[in-house]
Amino acid sequence: MNPASALYVPGDRPDRFAKAAASGAGLVILDLEDAVAPAAKADALAAVTARLADPPAVPIQVRVNTDAPQEITAIRATGARVGLRIPKVESPADLDRIAALAGELPLTALIESARGLEAAAAIAAHPAVRDLALGEADLASDLGSADPRVLDHARLRLLVAARAAGLPAPMLSVYPAIGDLDGLRADTERGRALGFSGRVAVHPKQIPVIEAVFAPTDADRAWAEAVLAALEGGGVATLPNGDMVDPAMRGRALGILRR
């Protein structure tokens, strides 16, 4: 199951790496792409590979530049078991060369354009892909709209593509208004209701809000425990409140308790 939260950290800011690992985020994403100026790319790669030589306990991904194969080679050479976050994927063919370089390192395919969204199902089926993610800022630029209805449409298409391929439900994209924690909470609650599994952040102060939204409530836990207890005998069962449950609900109940 995906973590509930992830935190981007610019790869050229090694002073922030330890703080990110201690932020409470379930995943730290060391960024070599958009967060790093072209002139700083080489220094960022050196800082990231040095960190991977002694990685923290928190899971790590690295967002790489698709036109910089040396980044993937250097990351793989560290021997660290990290994931690679691949930006601007528009077709399965975009991943073939990267997968060959990455070896056993799992790939998260970032969908950031209309073409990528149209090909999401095929991208999700690529054997190297372990997760899908949505880059909403780039997608909104490509579509010419950041209307919530447009973003919900994209989110749902990504969710269906991921689940149809047997992948976990995706995490929500970054909420860019760092100071608007109420807006972050409202939009994250909307994403959770759509079926997303967590959210990516760009500032540590966003992490507690995201974690709180995706944490199961007491009512969620009670429901999950009641469902599993009712289904112990197999077949269709009835909860004490009269609701009918069947084995199709077992997966949701187990997911709540794992969370």
Side-chain angles (χ1 to χ4, degrees):
M1 176 176 288
N2 280 356
S5 62
L7 180 63
Y8 271 114
V9 186
D12 61 344
R13 293 300 304 269
D15 55 305
R16 297 183 182 177
F17 291 175
K19 294 176 183 178
S23 68
L27 172 71
V28 171
I29 304 170
L30 304 179
D31 193 7
L32 297 174
E33 198 220 8
D34 283 351
V36 180
K41 298 284 188 188
D43 289 342
L45 178 60
V48 167
T49 53
R51 189 69 182 102
L52 295 182
D54 183 23
V58 64
I60 298 289
Q61 280 189 354
V62 183
R63 182 163 71 167
V64 298
N65 295 277
T66 55
D67 59 350
Q70 73 277 9
E71 293 179 354
I72 298 173
T73 301
I75 292 164
R76 189 178 178 189
T78 68
R81 297 299 302 166
V82 299
L84 298 179
R85 204 166 183 89
I86 313 302
K88 301 174 177 62
V89 179
E90 294 190 331
S91 74
D94 291 345
L95 296 167
D96 290 340
R97 176 179 56 86
I98 291 168
L101 291 169
E104 297 300 313
L105 299 182
L107 307 184
T108 294
L110 268 167
I111 307 299
E112 303 183 83
S113 67
R115 287 188 61 190
L117 194 60
E118 284 292 293
I123 292 167
H126 193 286
V129 171
R130 297 295 179 269
D131 293 282
L132 293 183
L134 198 63
E136 291 184 0
D138 284 291
L139 180 63
S141 295
D142 191 36
L143 297 176
S145 174
D147 188 280
R149 293 168 297 181
V150 173
L151 294 181
D152 280 355
H153 174 75
R155 288 171 175 178
L156 288 171
R157 290 193 62 179
L158 195 78
L159 173 66
V160 171
R163 298 302 296 132
L167 302 181
M171 301 178 78
L172 291 161
S173 184
V174 165
Y175 188 80
I178 294 172
D180 183 10
L181 297 183
D182 289 339
L184 169 66
R185 180 179 293 276
D187 190 66
T188 305
E189 289 174 346
R190 182 183 184 91
R192 178 182 175 177
L194 291 177
F196 278 67
S197 65
R199 180 155 221 158
V200 180
V202 290
H203 194 282
K205 70 181 181 181
Q206 295 178 315
I207 298 298
V209 176
I210 295 168
E211 288 284 338
V213 170
F214 284 99
T217 65
D218 290 342
D220 290 334
R221 285 190 289 270
W223 177 88
E225 290 168 355
V227 166
L228 294 180
L231 293 175
E232 282 183 355
V236 176
T238 303
L239 298 181
N241 66 2
D243 289 351
M244 186 197 77
V245 295
D246 62 26
M249 298 179 182
R250 185 185 300 276
R252 180 184 167 209
L254 289 171
I256 288 171
L257 296 180
R258 280 197 299 266
R259 181 73 75 193

